[in-house]
Amino acid sequence: MKITFSCKISLCSRLSSIKNYPRVPSRLAIRRSVRMCQAFNNTFCGATVDETLSKPVDTESRVVVVTSGKGGVGKTTTTANLGMSIARLGYRVALIDADIGLRNLDLLLGLENRVLYTAMDIVEGQCRLDQALIRDKRWKNLALLAISKNRQKYNVTRKNMQNLIDSVKELGFHFILIDCPAGIDVGFINAISPAQEAIVVTTPEITAIRDADRVAGLLEANDIYNVKLLVNRVRPDMIQKNDMMSVRDVQEMLGIPLLGAIPEDTNVIISTNRGEPLVLNKKLTLSGIAFENAARRLIGKQDYFIDLNTPYKGMFQKVQEFFLGND
Ligand code: ADP
Ligand code: MG
């Protein structure tokens, strides 16, 4: 008990020792929280399942940027899995890989061999949008557009990006998810500029949280108030030992409504290497279910969170427990 308490103290004191990062949410974070909750409620509350599903193709697309500040926290993994889940729910989804020079959304989706043209080719007049937009063969209502080829020099401007997203919108996609590059420089600004909504991805680590806080401020400064939080690589075992911040702690610190919490899972790495998003696995893992739940919440279909402490049980196990008990 004593050890647990001291661990908690040391985590908290580390956090408060970061410059401008109080343990208690700042007034700015509270104000942001209130504004973002209002935007979140305005968008999702009252939207019934049927309303969203029957959304006609000619209504305005929802343009959502997936961002984080820090690299390697799971933006691309989130974009691929949320995109695939939403497409499986019947929506038309376009995924835009705005990570210039370090493109890898195509790899996660297993579409790397089909990227012949990119948005840069469209801007330079080398091809049409429909030639650069790759349709996924598994789910025809999912498409991918890469902004540039790897190692290509970046010269897409903010205006180019806006025009590009406007053209994609005209094709009648319900959702356009933009995979944002790491950092907060020109690539980040270009990627967020066409978006009306954002998903901030973070891991429960102080470095990632501080970057997420900075990014949340920048989103607000760029008039993006509809922001949701996705906490990735959560380790319930470490949280129980007070070696990791809980999802609730992270959410309260950032003052952003929670979209989802994804557990740390080696299956994520396996699925990346196979080019098959986790949510396509026949035998869903806890992280796959967590991504599916986050996708359902994004479309306003579900408002509860799965318990990361409960291991996922297959149908066989559930039936077995029903007859034999679960001891
Ligand atoms: P980013 O796009 O933010 O740079 P990625 O999505 O490429 O991050 O993920 C970085 C690495 O972390 C990848 O190797 C990925 O497989 C791994 N990863 C992401 N999420 C998880 C998770 N929940 N569990 C285990 N590994 C993960
Ligand atoms: Mg990435």
Side-chain angles (χ1 to χ4, degrees):
M1 190 66 189
K2 207 174 170 190
I3 297 167
T4 313
F5 185 62
S6 64
C7 281
K8 183 129 190 153
I9 295 266
S10 79
L11 253 183
C12 294
S13 56
R14 271 207 76 192
L15 274 167
S16 14
S17 68
I18 308 173
K19 196 169 175 279
N20 295 336
Y21 209 97
R23 172 68 183 84
V24 196
S26 62
R27 260 188 310 178
L28 195 74
I30 295 169
R31 270 212 318 271
R32 185 196 302 149
S33 171
V34 171
R35 258 200 307 273
M36 286 176 177
C37 281
Q38 279 164 354
F40 187 77
N41 290 344
N42 290 345
T43 313
F44 300 117
C45 293
T48 64
V49 177
D50 291 340
E51 258 169 34
T52 27
L53 275 176
S54 59
K55 186 181 177 190
V57 172
D58 58 352
T59 56
E60 185 79 349
S61 315
R62 280 176 61 184
V63 185
V64 186
V65 63
V66 181
T67 183
S68 69
K70 193 174 187 302
V73 295
K75 290 178 293 298
T76 308
T77 308
T78 301
T79 311
N81 282 289
L82 287 188
M84 188 58 91
S85 294
I86 298 172
R88 275 154 53 99
L89 290 167
Y91 294 86
R92 299 191 64 202
V93 184
L95 304 182
I96 315 289
D97 191 342
D99 204 337
I100 317 296
L102 291 171
R103 183 191 90 197
N104 50 23
L105 188 53
D106 54 332
L107 279 174
L108 261 76
L109 293 164
L111 298 174
E112 66 278 14
N113 294 332
R114 296 185 46 212
V115 181
L116 299 178
Y117 297 108
T118 64
M120 291 230 336
D121 299 314
I122 305 173
V123 171
E124 286 163 7
Q126 312 278 336
C127 72
R128 296 184 314 272
L129 175 59
D130 58 304
Q131 289 175 299
L133 211 55
I134 305 158
R135 304 265 164 187
D136 190 290
K137 287 196 174 126
R138 295 158 293 195
W139 289 93
K140 294 260 186 288
N141 46 348
L142 182 77
L144 168 73
L145 176 68
I147 296 288
S148 81
K149 290 212 170 101
N150 279 349
R151 293 184 299 277
Q152 214 168 14
K153 231 177 136 233
Y154 184 72
N155 59 4
V156 176
T157 63
R158 204 170 163 166
K159 181 115 185 47
N160 290 150
M161 192 72 182
Q162 188 67 59
N163 290 342
L164 199 75
I165 298 298
D166 286 344
S167 314
V168 177
K169 276 182 182 173
E170 277 166 25
L171 297 178
F173 285 98
H174 296 107
F175 284 88
I176 300 173
L177 302 189
I178 305 173
D179 183 18
C180 187
I184 47 171
D185 56 13
V186 66
F188 164 79
I189 296 294
N190 286 345
I192 67 164
S193 60
Q196 296 102 37
E197 300 175 42
I199 297 172
V200 174
V201 182
T202 185
T203 52
E205 286 170 68
I206 46 177
T207 46
I209 294 171
R210 183 164 67 174
D211 289 359
D213 191 40
R214 176 101 177 87
V215 159
L218 289 172
L219 289 169
E220 213 182 332
N222 283 274
D223 297 329
I224 303 176
Y225 299 109
N226 193 343
V227 181
K228 280 140 255 144
L229 176 70
L230 190 127
V231 187
N232 189 23
R233 307 193 82 150
V234 177
R235 298 261 316 260
D237 55 329
M238 286 181 73
I239 294 173
Q240 262 160 22
K241 287 193 243 154
N242 273 320
D243 287 336
M244 183 180 265
M245 269 169 277
S246 71
V247 175
R248 197 196 171 115
D249 279 347
V250 177
Q251 196 253 316
E252 281 177 359
M253 280 168 147
L254 290 170
I256 304 175
L258 189 65
L259 179 75
I262 317 295
E264 168 87 25
D265 186 355
T266 47
N267 286 299
V268 174
I269 299 161
I270 299 171
S271 77
T272 304
N273 291 339
R274 287 193 182 146
E276 285 258 315
L278 207 64
V279 292
L280 286 182
N281 283 4
K282 283 205 184 77
K283 191 166 174 271
L284 267 185
T285 57
L286 195 60
S287 50
I289 297 172
F291 272 124
E292 288 211 321
N293 283 9
R296 291 166 76 84
R297 244 184 323 277
L298 189 65
I299 59 168
K301 237 183 145 186
Q302 181 176 314
D303 55 8
Y304 63 88
F305 293 89
I306 59 160
D307 180 4
L308 296 185
N309 286 311
T310 315
Y312 174 64
K313 291 174 185 168
M315 189 50 102
F316 177 72
Q317 202 178 344
K318 282 185 193 155
V319 172
Q320 196 180 33
E321 280 181 8
F322 178 77
F323 289 111
L324 304 174
N326 54 2
D327 296 324

